[in-house]
């Protein structure tokens, strides 16, 4: 393996997998960016990541990633071909605008109420047993239940809807395999058809809801094709479940590993927003923003070449010692918390639902603290993924 490519160091994948934060810190100390052993480059510093998130020379990936995986059609391919996250320029704006207009007003509060109610219901299920699988019993179903509530999924259809979301999302996880891709494709077909039925259902309870409002906006000029209308909702589901799940696990595990901080949240629920912000900085749900370089880009005298996959590393930027005091310490009492909102990205693709994301994380934490004040960490999670979506192993908690 090469140690450097034209003076740029190559980061071994094994180092990133076994100890990502120390590895990123080591390279960040000497270089603004590095090459990845798997191909492409990773940008490391906070200022460069923030600036390049807004730089039009770095483009969204359109269908480059499914093409690399050998996909040229199908339900998974359509997510890339017709969704907002992978689109550029005017096409991106046209796809994002109806969703972002439909998400204003009361929607975040409605969503917050769905998440809160679901958090109580999930805890009720295992309360008597005194233990819970934090991922499987709580962090994974909770954001999906919140979205199902917002989209008006009928109660009787919740279980298959949640199973299909989980199977579809597996395609985007760090440990995805060829076998995952085949079951994810089938699940994506079912998710898409369930959304189609929800859109076409004209019951009274749907008329004033988020989904119908969105569809009305998507049907005004420039009118979405049906597949585009569907794919923005599919992307909302993927964006609103995977990152939230990992972030719930990270915030809970980090607080429990620091019992004084957990106690402070239990005793004073007003600390919840600060705890969520610090957890997102310390262990973000999305590792980085994935782009393609359309031109050579000079950074501190070195050249990031054109035609490359570029990861703008949120994991690295949010621990940049030039921006954050004691960046490797988890501390919800920070006097100067710093700009941790970069966890929601920046520029044209900045999270379209950051208000919902914060609401989900805050409710997930405040209901746990209220119902299970004596929560303890029995088996800590191990996090994976340094490119896009992050994952974690199961985490067992007891009370
Ligand atoms: C912990 C919570 C969340 C985190 C950390 C997070 C993070 C992010 C980040 C970093 C991006 C930018 C990706 C890029 O530029 O490549 C993004 C975009 C996006 N997020 Fe979120 N997100 C969260 C919650 C949500 C929720 C709750 C939803 C939906 C209900 C959502 C839907 C989306 C969508 C659709 C995009 C694409 C926006 C665009 O391309 O214009 N996210 N998110």
């Amino acid at each position: 393996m090469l140690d450097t490519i034209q003076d740029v160091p190559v980061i071994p994948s094994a180092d990133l997998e076994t100890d990502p934060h120390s590895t990123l810190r080591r390279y960040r100390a000497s270089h603004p960016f590095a090459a990845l052993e798997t191909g492409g480059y990773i940008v490391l510093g906070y200022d460069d990541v923030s600036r390049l998130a807004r730089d039009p020379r770095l483009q969204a990936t359109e269908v480059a990633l499914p093409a690399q995986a050998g996909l040229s059609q199908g339900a998974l391919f359509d997510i890339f071909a017709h969704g907002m996250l992978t689109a550029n320029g005017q096409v991106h704006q046209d796809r994002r605008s109806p969703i972002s207009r439909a998400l204003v007003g009361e929607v975040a509060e409605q969503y917050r109420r769905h998440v809160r109610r679901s958090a109580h219901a999930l805890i009720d299920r295992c309360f008597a047993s005194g233990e819970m699988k934090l991922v499987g019993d709580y962090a994974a179903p909770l954001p999906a239940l919140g979205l199902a509530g917002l989209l008006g999924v009928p109660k009787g259809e919740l279980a298959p809807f949640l199973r299909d979301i989980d199977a579809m999302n597996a395609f985007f996880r760090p440990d995805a395999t060829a076998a995952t891709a085949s079951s994810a494709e089938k699940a994506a077909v079912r998710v898409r058809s369930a959304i189609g039925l929800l859109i076409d259902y004209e019951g009274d309870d749907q008329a004033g809801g988020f989904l119908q409002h969105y569809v009305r906006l998507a049907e005004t000029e420039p009118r979405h094709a049906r597949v585009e209308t569907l794919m923005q909702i599919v992307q909302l589901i993927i964006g609103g479940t995977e990152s939230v799940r990992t972030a719930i696990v990270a915030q809970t595990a980090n607080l429990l590993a620091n019992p004084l901080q957990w106690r402070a949240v239990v005793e004073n629920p007003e600390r919840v927003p600060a705890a969520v912000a610090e957890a997102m900085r310390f262990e973000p749900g999305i590792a980085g923003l994935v782009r393609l370089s359309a031109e050579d880009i000079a950074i501190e005298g070195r050249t990031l070449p054109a035609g490359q996959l570029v990861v703008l590393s949120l994991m690295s930027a949010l621990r940049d010692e030039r921006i954050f005091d004691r960046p490797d310490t988890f501390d919800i009492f920070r006097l100067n918390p710093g700009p941790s909102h970069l966890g929601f990205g920046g520029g044209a693709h900045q999270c379209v639902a950051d208000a919902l994301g914060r609401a989900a994380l805050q409710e997930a934490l405040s209901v746990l603290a209220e119902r299970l004040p004596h929560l303890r960490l029995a088996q800590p999670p191990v996090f994976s993924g340094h490119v896009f979506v992050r994952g974690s192993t199961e985490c067992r908690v007891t009370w």
Side-chain angles (χ1 to χ4, degrees):
M1 194 205 80
L2 287 174
D3 290 340
T4 58
I5 299 175
Q6 295 183 346
D7 231 14
V8 175
V10 181
I11 311 188
S13 302
D15 291 4
L16 278 170
E17 276 151 27
T18 47
D19 193 357
H21 288 296
S22 308
T23 304
L24 292 168
R25 187 192 321 124
R26 206 165 60 244
Y27 286 89
R28 188 171 62 235
S30 52
H31 289 81
F33 64 92
L36 291 168
E37 191 184 342
T38 44
Y41 291 81
I42 184 163
V43 178
L44 301 164
Y46 187 99
D47 287 342
D48 287 331
V49 167
S50 310
R51 183 171 53 79
L52 290 171
R54 292 170 173 75
D55 190 320
R57 293 173 296 175
L58 286 179
Q59 299 260 300
T61 51
E62 300 185 344
V63 295
L65 299 179
Q68 255 179 27
L71 287 180
S72 56
Q73 58 176 4
L76 290 173
F77 178 81
D78 281 348
I79 300 172
F80 294 87
H82 301 286
M84 71 178 98
L85 179 60
T86 37
N88 284 298
Q90 191 60 44
V91 176
H92 167 254
Q93 278 179 37
D94 291 344
R95 288 177 185 167
R96 179 173 165 119
S97 164
I99 285 283
S100 84
R101 284 157 65 208
L103 282 175
V104 297
E106 270 298 289
V107 176
E109 280 313 305
Q110 279 171 24
Y111 171 77
R112 185 185 280 275
R113 285 195 291 276
H114 287 300
V115 173
R116 191 167 183 81
R117 208 174 306 132
S118 306
H120 277 290
L122 292 170
I123 293 173
D124 287 344
R125 277 194 208 164
C126 36
F127 190 75
S129 74
E131 64 175 343
M132 167 159 92
K133 296 201 286 290
L134 186 63
V135 181
D137 294 337
Y138 193 70
L142 186 55
L145 285 167
L147 278 178
L150 197 62
L151 295 172
V153 177
K155 225 174 171 180
E157 287 161 34
L158 267 180
F161 189 67
L162 260 55
R163 266 199 310 277
D164 287 337
I165 290 178
D166 189 54
M168 171 180 76
N169 286 357
F171 180 75
F172 301 92
R173 293 184 189 138
D175 57 356
T177 61
T180 335
S182 134
S183 55
E185 172 66 26
K186 291 185 191 114
V189 171
R190 291 192 295 271
V191 169
R192 170 183 176 147
S193 106
I195 295 167
L197 290 173
L198 288 172
I199 288 177
D200 295 337
Y201 176 68
E202 289 177 358
D204 286 348
D205 49 340
Q206 274 287 17
F210 160 75
L211 191 57
Q212 302 314 110
H213 184 200
Y214 160 66
V215 172
R216 277 198 300 280
L217 292 169
E219 282 172 352
T220 55
E221 288 307 319
R223 199 184 160 92
H224 279 13
R226 170 84 171 180
V227 65
E228 260 181 314
T229 304
L230 292 171
M231 285 312 114
Q232 305 330 304
I233 300 294
V234 173
Q235 279 207 343
L236 215 57
I237 291 174
I238 298 167
T241 48
E242 287 300 288
S243 49
V244 184
R245 174 179 70 162
T246 304
I248 292 174
V249 178
Q251 67 186 19
T252 313
N254 281 308
L255 282 165
L256 295 179
N258 293 276
L260 287 179
Q261 299 189 44
W262 170 256
R263 192 103 306 274
V265 171
V266 168
E267 283 166 8
N268 187 355
E270 283 173 16
R271 294 200 193 277
V272 164
V276 165
E278 172 65 353
M280 276 194 59
R281 180 196 74 77
F282 193 73
E283 207 66 88
I286 297 280
L289 315 178
V290 182
R291 300 288 187 266
L292 281 174
S293 51
E295 297 173 26
D296 283 359
I297 299 174
I299 308 178
E300 293 178 28
R302 291 188 170 84
T303 301
L304 194 63
Q308 297 289 322
L309 201 75
V310 177
V311 179
L312 301 176
S313 176
L314 302 180
M315 280 176 74
S316 176
L318 288 164
R319 292 202 187 197
D320 187 337
E321 34 292 284
R322 290 161 290 195
I323 303 291
F324 299 97
D325 185 30
R326 295 172 296 116
D328 295 317
T329 304
F330 178 78
D331 180 5
I332 66 168
F333 307 115
R334 284 175 181 278
L335 292 178
N336 177 12
S340 59
H341 52 77
L342 186 64
F344 286 108
H349 293 274
Q350 177 166 8
C351 186
V352 72
D354 57 346
L356 274 63
R358 282 196 186 87
L361 298 182
Q362 291 172 3
E363 292 308 318
L365 176 55
S366 74
V367 176
L368 272 186
E370 187 185 312
R371 297 282 306 276
L372 306 171
H374 301 294
L375 201 61
R376 286 183 306 273
L377 201 52
Q379 182 199 332
V382 177
F383 295 95
S384 56
H386 50 266
V387 173
F388 181 48
V389 169
R390 300 191 73 209
S392 80
T393 55
E394 189 49 91
C395 165
R396 276 195 333 103
V397 289
T398 57
W399 54 90

Coordinates of all heavy atoms in Angstrom, one line a residue, residues 84-86 92 96 111 147 232 235-237 239-241 243-244 247 280 284-286 288-291 314 342-346 348-354 356-358 360-361 388, ligand 1:
M84 N -33.3 14.5 -3.3 CA -32.6 15.9 -3.2 C -31.2 15.8 -2.8 O -30.3 16.5 -3.3 CB -33.4 16.8 -2.3 CG -33.3 16.4 -0.8 SD -34.2 17.5 0.2 CE -35.7 16.6 0.5
L85 N -30.8 14.8 -1.9 CA -29.5 14.8 -1.4 C -28.4 14.6 -2.4 O -27.3 15.1 -2.3 CB -29.4 13.7 -0.3 CG -28.0 13.5 0.4 CD1 -27.6 14.8 1.1 CD2 -28.0 12.4 1.3
T86 N -28.7 13.9 -3.5 CA -27.8 13.5 -4.5 C -27.8 14.5 -5.7 O -27.1 14.3 -6.7 CB -28.0 12.1 -4.9 OG1 -29.4 11.8 -4.9 CG2 -27.3 11.1 -4.0
H92 N -31.8 20.3 -7.5 CA -31.8 20.2 -6.1 C -32.8 21.1 -5.4 O -33.6 20.7 -4.6 CB -30.4 20.3 -5.5 CG -30.4 20.5 -4.0 ND1 -30.2 21.7 -3.4 CD2 -30.6 19.6 -3.1 CE1 -30.3 21.5 -2.1 NE2 -30.5 20.2 -1.9
R96 N -36.0 20.2 -3.1 CA -35.9 20.5 -1.7 C -37.1 21.5 -1.3 O -37.6 21.4 -0.2 CB -34.6 21.1 -1.4 CG -34.4 21.5 0.1 CD -33.0 21.9 0.3 NE -32.9 22.6 1.6 CZ -32.2 22.2 2.6 NH1 -31.4 21.2 2.5 NH2 -32.1 22.9 3.8
Y111 N -44.4 16.5 15.3 CA -43.4 15.4 15.2 C -42.9 15.1 16.6 O -42.8 13.9 17.1 CB -42.3 15.7 14.3 CG -41.1 14.8 14.2 CD1 -41.2 13.5 13.6 CD2 -40.0 15.2 14.9 CE1 -40.1 12.7 13.6 CE2 -38.9 14.3 14.8 CZ -38.9 13.1 14.2 OH -37.9 12.2 14.2
L147 N -41.8 9.4 12.6 CA -42.1 9.8 11.2 C -43.3 9.1 10.7 O -44.1 9.7 10.0 CB -40.9 9.3 10.2 CG -39.7 10.3 10.2 CD1 -38.6 9.7 9.3 CD2 -40.2 11.6 9.6
Q232 N -38.6 12.1 -2.5 CA -38.2 13.0 -1.4 C -38.7 12.5 0.0 O -38.1 12.6 1.0 CB -38.9 14.4 -1.6 CG -38.5 15.1 -3.0 CD -37.2 14.7 -3.6 OE1 -36.2 14.9 -2.9 NE2 -37.2 14.2 -4.8
Q235 N -36.3 9.8 1.0 CA -35.1 10.4 1.6 C -35.3 11.0 3.0 O -34.4 10.9 3.8 CB -34.5 11.5 0.6 CG -33.7 10.8 -0.5 CD -32.7 11.7 -1.1 OE1 -32.6 13.0 -0.9 NE2 -31.7 11.2 -1.8
L236 N -36.5 11.5 3.2 CA -36.8 12.0 4.5 C -36.8 10.9 5.5 O -36.3 11.0 6.6 CB -38.3 12.6 4.4 CG -38.6 13.9 5.3 CD1 -37.6 15.0 4.9 CD2 -40.0 14.3 5.0
I237 N -37.3 9.7 5.1 CA -37.3 8.6 6.0 C -35.9 8.1 6.2 O -35.5 7.9 7.4 CB -38.2 7.4 5.4 CG1 -39.7 7.8 5.4 CG2 -38.0 6.1 6.1 CD1 -40.6 6.9 4.7
G239 N -33.0 9.8 5.9 CA -32.4 10.9 6.7 C -32.9 10.9 8.1 O -32.1 11.2 9.0
G240 N -34.2 10.7 8.3 CA -34.8 10.9 9.6 C -34.7 9.6 10.5 O -35.3 9.7 11.6
T241 N -34.1 8.6 10.1 CA -34.0 7.4 10.9 C -32.6 7.0 11.2 O -32.2 6.9 12.4 CB -34.7 6.2 10.2 OG1 -34.3 6.1 8.9 CG2 -36.2 6.4 10.3
S243 N -29.5 8.5 11.0 CA -28.6 9.4 11.8 C -29.2 9.6 13.2 O -28.4 9.7 14.2 CB -28.5 10.8 11.1 OG -29.8 11.2 10.7
V244 N -30.5 9.6 13.3 CA -31.1 9.9 14.6 C -30.9 8.7 15.5 O -30.5 8.8 16.7 CB -32.7 10.1 14.4 CG1 -33.3 10.4 15.8 CG2 -32.9 11.2 13.4
A247 N -27.4 8.8 16.8 CA -27.2 9.9 17.7 C -27.9 9.6 19.0 O -27.3 10.1 20.1 CB -27.7 11.2 17.1
M280 N -23.9 15.5 19.8 CA -23.8 15.6 18.4 C -22.4 16.0 17.9 O -21.9 15.6 16.9 CB -24.8 16.6 17.8 CG -26.1 15.9 17.6 SD -27.2 17.0 16.6 CE -26.2 17.1 15.1
P284 N -21.0 12.4 16.1 CA -22.1 12.8 15.2 C -22.7 11.6 14.5 O -22.1 10.6 14.3 CB -21.5 13.8 14.2 CG -20.0 13.5 14.3 CD -19.7 12.9 15.6
G285 N -24.0 11.7 14.2 CA -24.8 10.6 13.6 C -24.3 10.4 12.1 O -24.5 9.3 11.6
I286 N -23.9 11.5 11.5 CA -23.4 11.5 10.1 C -21.9 11.8 10.2 O -21.5 12.8 10.7 CB -24.1 12.5 9.2 CG1 -25.6 12.2 9.1 CG2 -23.5 12.6 7.8 CD1 -26.1 11.1 8.2
G288 N -19.7 12.3 7.6 CA -19.2 13.3 6.7 C -20.1 13.6 5.6 O -21.1 12.9 5.4
L289 N -19.8 14.6 4.8 CA -20.6 15.0 3.6 C -19.8 14.5 2.4 O -18.6 14.7 2.3 CB -20.7 16.5 3.5 CG -21.1 17.3 4.8 CD1 -21.1 18.8 4.6 CD2 -22.4 16.7 5.4
V290 N -20.5 13.7 1.6 CA -19.8 13.0 0.5 C -20.0 13.8 -0.8 O -21.2 14.0 -1.2 CB -20.3 11.6 0.3 CG1 -19.6 10.8 -0.8 CG2 -20.1 10.8 1.7
R291 N -19.0 14.1 -1.5 CA -19.1 15.0 -2.7 C -18.1 14.4 -3.8 O -17.2 13.6 -3.5 CB -18.7 16.4 -2.4 CG -19.6 17.1 -1.3 CD -21.0 17.4 -1.8 NE -21.7 18.2 -0.9 CZ -22.6 17.7 0.0 NH1 -22.7 16.4 0.1 NH2 -23.2 18.5 0.9
L314 N -17.2 15.5 9.1 CA -17.8 16.2 10.3 C -17.2 15.6 11.6 O -16.9 16.3 12.5 CB -19.3 15.9 10.3 CG -20.1 16.4 9.1 CD1 -21.6 16.1 9.2 CD2 -19.9 17.9 8.8
L342 N -22.6 22.2 12.9 CA -22.1 21.6 11.7 C -22.5 20.1 11.6 O -22.4 19.5 10.5 CB -20.6 21.7 11.6 CG -19.9 21.3 10.4 CD1 -20.3 22.1 9.2 CD2 -18.3 21.3 10.5
G343 N -22.8 19.5 12.7 CA -23.3 18.1 12.7 C -24.5 17.9 11.8 O -24.8 16.8 11.3
F344 N -25.2 19.0 11.5 CA -26.4 19.0 10.5 C -25.9 19.4 9.1 O -26.7 19.6 8.2 CB -27.5 19.9 11.0 CG -28.3 19.3 12.1 CD1 -28.2 19.8 13.4 CD2 -29.1 18.2 11.9 CE1 -28.9 19.3 14.5 CE2 -29.9 17.7 13.0 CZ -29.8 18.2 14.2
G345 N -24.6 19.5 8.9 CA -24.1 19.8 7.5 C -24.1 21.3 7.3 O -24.3 22.1 8.3
G346 N -23.8 21.7 6.1 CA -23.8 23.1 5.8 C -24.0 23.3 4.3 O -23.9 22.4 3.5
A348 N -26.0 24.2 0.6 CA -27.3 23.9 0.0 C -27.9 22.7 0.6 O -29.2 22.6 0.6 CB -27.1 23.8 -1.5
H349 N -27.2 21.7 1.0 CA -27.8 20.4 1.4 C -27.9 20.3 2.9 O -28.2 19.2 3.5 CB -26.9 19.2 0.9 CG -27.0 19.1 -0.6 ND1 -28.0 18.3 -1.2 CD2 -26.2 19.6 -1.5 CE1 -27.8 18.4 -2.5 NE2 -26.7 19.1 -2.7
Q350 N -27.6 21.4 3.6 CA -27.8 21.4 5.1 C -29.1 20.7 5.5 O -30.1 21.0 4.8 CB -27.7 22.8 5.6 CG -27.9 22.8 7.1 CD -27.5 24.2 7.7 OE1 -27.2 25.1 7.0 NE2 -27.5 24.2 9.0
C351 N -29.1 19.9 6.5 CA -30.2 19.1 6.9 C -31.5 19.9 6.8 O -31.7 20.9 7.4 CB -30.1 18.6 8.3 SG -31.4 17.5 8.7
V352 N -32.4 19.4 6.0 CA -33.7 20.1 5.7 C -34.6 19.9 6.9 O -35.6 20.7 7.0 CB -34.3 19.5 4.4 CG1 -34.9 18.1 4.6 CG2 -35.4 20.4 3.8
A353 N -34.3 19.0 7.8 CA -35.2 18.8 8.9 C -34.5 18.9 10.2 O -34.7 18.1 11.2 CB -35.9 17.4 8.8
D354 N -33.5 19.9 10.3 CA -32.7 19.9 11.6 C -33.6 20.1 12.8 O -33.3 19.6 13.9 CB -31.6 20.9 11.5 CG -32.0 22.3 11.1 OD1 -33.2 22.5 10.7 OD2 -31.2 23.2 11.3
L356 N -36.5 18.9 13.3 CA -37.1 17.6 13.7 C -36.0 16.8 14.3 O -36.3 16.0 15.3 CB -37.7 16.9 12.4 CG -39.1 17.3 12.1 CD1 -39.3 18.7 11.7 CD2 -39.6 16.4 11.0
G357 N -34.8 16.8 13.8 CA -33.7 16.0 14.3 C -33.4 16.4 15.8 O -33.4 15.5 16.6
R358 N -33.4 17.7 16.0 CA -33.2 18.2 17.4 C -34.3 17.7 18.3 O -34.1 17.2 19.4 CB -33.0 19.7 17.5 CG -31.6 20.2 17.1 CD -31.4 21.6 17.5 NE -30.1 22.0 16.9 CZ -30.0 22.5 15.7 NH1 -31.1 22.7 14.9 NH2 -28.8 22.9 15.2
A360 N -36.3 15.1 18.0 CA -36.2 13.7 18.3 C -35.2 13.4 19.3 O -35.4 12.6 20.2 CB -35.9 13.0 17.0
L361 N -34.0 14.0 19.2 CA -32.9 13.7 20.1 C -33.3 14.2 21.5 O -33.0 13.6 22.5 CB -31.6 14.3 19.7 CG -31.1 13.8 18.3 CD1 -29.8 14.5 18.0 CD2 -30.9 12.3 18.3
F388 N -20.1 8.3 5.8 CA -21.5 8.9 5.7 C -22.3 8.5 6.9 O -22.0 8.9 8.0 CB -22.1 8.5 4.3 CG -23.5 9.1 4.1 CD1 -23.7 10.5 4.4 CD2 -24.5 8.4 3.7 CE1 -25.0 11.1 4.2 CE2 -25.8 8.9 3.5 CZ -26.0 10.3 3.7
Ligands
LIG1 C1 -29.6 13.5 14.5 C2 -30.4 14.0 13.6 C3 -29.9 14.3 12.2 C4 -28.6 14.5 11.8 C5 -27.3 14.4 12.6 C6 -28.7 14.9 10.4 C7 -27.6 15.2 9.6 C8 -27.7 15.6 8.3 C9 -26.6 16.1 7.5 C10 -25.2 16.2 8.0 C11 -27.1 16.4 6.2 C12 -26.3 16.9 5.0 C13 -25.8 15.8 4.2 C14 -25.0 16.3 3.0 O1 -24.8 17.5 2.8 O2 -24.4 15.4 2.3 C15 -28.5 16.1 6.2 C16 -29.3 16.3 5.2 C17 -30.6 15.8 5.1 N1 -31.4 15.4 6.2 FE1 -30.7 15.3 8.1 N2 -30.0 14.9 10.0 C18 -30.7 14.5 11.1 C19 -32.1 14.4 11.2 C20 -32.9 14.4 10.0 C21 -34.3 14.2 10.1 C22 -35.2 13.9 11.3 C23 -34.8 14.2 8.8 C24 -36.1 13.9 8.2 C25 -37.2 13.9 8.9 C26 -33.6 14.4 7.9 C27 -33.6 14.5 6.5 C28 -32.6 15.0 5.8 C29 -32.7 15.2 4.3 C30 -33.8 14.8 3.4 C31 -31.4 15.7 3.9 C32 -31.0 16.1 2.5 C33 -31.1 17.6 2.4 C34 -30.7 18.1 1.0 O3 -30.0 17.4 0.3 O4 -31.0 19.3 0.7 N3 -32.5 14.6 8.7 N4 -28.9 15.7 7.5

